[in-house]
Amino acid sequence: MPDFLGYPADIWLPFTFAALMGLSILIYVVLDGYDLGVGVLFVAADPDEKDRMVASIGPFWDANETWLVLAVGLLLVAFPVAHGIILTALYVPVALMLVGLILRGVSFEFRAKVRPEHKGAWNAAFFAGSLMTALSQGYMLGLYIMGLEETLWTVAFAGLTAICLTAGYAFIGACWLIYKTEEILQWKAVRWAKRLVVFVAAGFVALSLASPAVSPRIFEKWFSWPEMALLAPLPIAAAAIFAALLLTLRHLPAAGDRHALAPYVATVGLFVLCFAGLAYSFYPYVVPERMTIFEAASAPESLAIMLVGTLIVMPVIGAYSAFSYFVFRGKARELSYD
């Protein structure tokens, strides 16, 4: 296999696939995160508002989940050994997440087709599926940070992460509703966002402190010199975004619907910063402290063939997602299945 920029194939190909997998996960979190959050917020909405909330995510939710499928597929084909170790350790939360995703999909369709007296049950199922999925993903994240080891302490931290990530999804869902809705529901979304921002900040701080605390290697990467100075912009930028979020939410909804998209964009920025910090902390490990991406990678010949397919499929998924967001831009309309 040929070198690339002076790096041999067994170095640049695993790195490339790790980067593509990380990008897929990040896109999934910022896209499917808001529609999971909208589902979690179902519990606080009136029956008529639930239809408008579903209308705000209806054209996008299934395309958003495609990024999760892509990320797991890349893990399987590029790092098969790590795939087995990670999914074995996370078997129960992964199974619960899949049940939640199935329940969401079924509820999404059935709530539109059942008799009015049965609609409430499917609304509850949609909320339950969204909550189950969000909590499972948060628990998996927490356990991954803890090195995939189950002790009383690691399970407790994973539980805290599950709550904070669910709150983060609900927060970005509220920010999405601020952009996509009007009038009373938009006012409610602003109120929900103001209440949830505290949990988002708590989760951000918990992740920032836990990663270096569980690993001397990660601690050294963050708190040695000059790395400490070079990484200082990350927490400073996060603090600035939180301050801007609080200030913006205080003045929403604004006349002419000004700045309605700003909270969602700012929250995406927070998610990107958090993901960048985690990626820096754990690189080059794909299984924390046990296996690097280079040790877990498939043969360079196999990776080269799969890279061609990935570079075709990934832009197609991205183009489809971008097209759907362009076509269904603007405020969500009344939900209709005629």
Side-chain angles (χ1 to χ4, degrees):
M1 294 301 300
D3 293 354
F4 181 74
L5 298 178
Y7 293 97
D10 57 355
I11 298 295
W12 72 264
L13 278 171
F15 179 84
T16 300
F17 270 93
L20 292 174
M21 184 176 67
L23 179 61
S24 300
I25 294 172
L26 177 59
I27 295 174
Y28 169 78
V29 168
V30 300
L31 293 184
D32 203 43
Y34 78 72
D35 69 59
L36 284 170
V38 169
V40 172
L41 291 171
F42 251 44
V43 70
D46 296 334
D48 292 340
E49 294 169 343
K50 290 181 172 65
D51 281 345
R52 183 60 64 89
M53 292 166 74
V54 168
S56 74
I57 64 175
F60 316 114
W61 70 277
D62 49 353
N64 294 342
E65 291 181 354
T66 305
W67 293 100
L68 177 62
V69 177
L70 178 61
V72 175
L74 289 175
L75 177 63
L76 172 62
V77 299
F79 311 104
V81 178
H83 177 275
I85 294 173
I86 293 172
L87 291 193
T88 298
L90 301 176
Y91 183 85
V92 173
V94 167
L96 291 175
M97 180 187 72
L98 292 177
V99 171
L101 290 172
I102 293 170
L103 189 58
R104 270 172 50 87
V106 172
S107 303
F108 201 99
E109 298 297 328
F110 273 72
R111 68 180 300 279
K113 298 176 173 63
V114 297
R115 295 175 182 175
E117 59 268 24
H118 297 150
K119 192 173 182 179
W122 287 108
N123 284 337
F126 186 70
F127 163 73
S130 301
L131 183 64
M132 187 184 304
T133 302
L135 288 172
S136 298
Q137 291 180 2
Y139 184 87
M140 286 188 285
L141 174 62
L143 209 60
Y144 183 85
I145 292 173
M146 293 289 107
L148 300 176
E149 296 181 1
E150 291 192 355
T151 65
L152 183 60
W153 155 244
T154 61
V155 169
F157 177 80
L160 173 64
T161 309
I163 294 171
C164 289
L165 183 66
T166 301
Y169 280 168
F171 178 76
I172 198 173
C175 293
W176 178 255
L177 291 174
I178 293 172
Y179 167 61
K180 293 294 287 185
T181 62
E182 301 171 293
E183 300 173 346
I184 295 176
L185 182 53
Q186 189 182 48
W187 279 95
K188 281 190 173 182
V190 171
R191 189 168 70 246
W192 293 335
K194 289 178 179 178
R195 294 174 179 175
L196 289 164
V197 70
V198 177
F199 292 94
V200 178
F204 197 93
V205 171
L207 289 177
S208 300
L209 295 178
S211 297
V214 299
S215 170
R217 180 187 62 83
I218 295 176
F219 184 91
E220 182 68 19
K221 291 183 74 172
W222 279 92
F223 296 104
S224 59
W225 191 265
E227 286 83 358
M228 190 173 179
L230 296 174
L231 294 169
L234 285 179
I236 293 173
I241 291 175
F242 270 115
L245 262 173
L246 293 173
L247 182 61
T248 302
L249 290 173
R250 287 179 59 187
H251 297 89
L252 290 177
D257 208 40
R258 289 180 295 113
H259 310 304
L261 184 58
Y264 179 78
V265 174
T267 308
V268 170
L270 282 176
F271 279 36
V272 170
L273 288 175
C274 187
F275 186 86
L278 286 173
Y280 173 77
S281 294
F282 287 98
Y283 179 81
Y285 287 89
V286 63
V287 181
E289 310 304 327
R290 281 191 271 174
M291 184 175 293
T292 68
I293 59 174
F294 309 108
E295 295 169 339
S298 299
E301 294 79 8
S302 300
L303 291 178
I305 295 172
M306 291 183 289
L307 181 61
V308 175
T310 303
L311 293 179
I312 294 173
V313 171
M314 204 166 182
V316 170
I317 298 174
Y320 169 75
S321 296
F323 180 73
S324 65
Y325 279 94
F326 175 77
V327 170
F328 296 100
R329 64 192 182 278
K331 297 295 183 180
R333 299 184 177 93
E334 290 290 341
L335 188 64
S336 174
Y337 295 90
D338 296 333

